[in-house]
Amino acid sequence: ERISYREHMTDSLDPNILQQVQMMLRRDLKLGADAVLPEDMPFFGGDVDLDSLDMLLLVTSIERQFGVRISNQAVGKEAFQTVATLTRFVQAHAAQTTPAASPAQETNWLSRLPHGEAFRFVSRVIEVRPGQSAKGAWTLTGNEAFFGGHFPGNPIVPGVLIAEALAQISGLAGADSDQRGGKLVHVDVRFEQPAIPPVEIELNAKITASLGALQTCDVWAQVGPTIVARGLITLHRGDGGAK
């Protein structure tokens, strides 16, 4: 059931939530630790003028930190007016939960990738929950051509290709059986352990926020129980594939 933001808006601000929101704004908007963010500071037309990517990054952080699901764009716009309105939105919706969706029906998900076989870094798709998540695997034998230069005698799976593989599985998380991938617009992936061939890398993507055509995924790659890379990938849903 959709809940009206105005019906749940309170007059007072929780100082703890306010402080967390202000810290989040300083971090995600790169304003600096000493930036002054008064409660009535507007998000549009003032010193801070949010664009779509800024809002998407903030939505992702809010959903991660507070467990708040911002799925209705009208509510999102109403909440993102000032520091105070955003804080009140978090207060009003922090206890809400979203029911899980049922697994996707069988389909040839690899055919949904717009890439040719030579630039496809998903060997098999394990599971897709359209609009929610996707899991796949990239299997490498060690005989792939790029290992000849990365690094001779001591091959390591290139991090940039792991990031591309995560972008491709992210495209499947947001696609249905009639859609093809999405354009890659933002990557923030850190690499924690090397992946050494022969190896099978499990690829995971979970959609955490959507705003218009933009969609952000939590992504991680692992070898067995070991995480080798994790981060965020943002795609623009539309014609074309990941760059």
Side-chain angles (χ1 to χ4, degrees), residues 50 109-110 184 213 222 235:
L50 300 185
W109 288 104
L110 281 178
L184 182 62
Q222 61 190 80
L235 301 176

Side-chain angles (χ1 to χ4, degrees), residues 223-242:
V223 175
T226 303
I227 300 292
V228 297
R230 73 175 89 210
L232 293 174
I233 284 178
T234 300
L235 301 176
H236 184 279
R237 305 297 308 163
D239 294 335

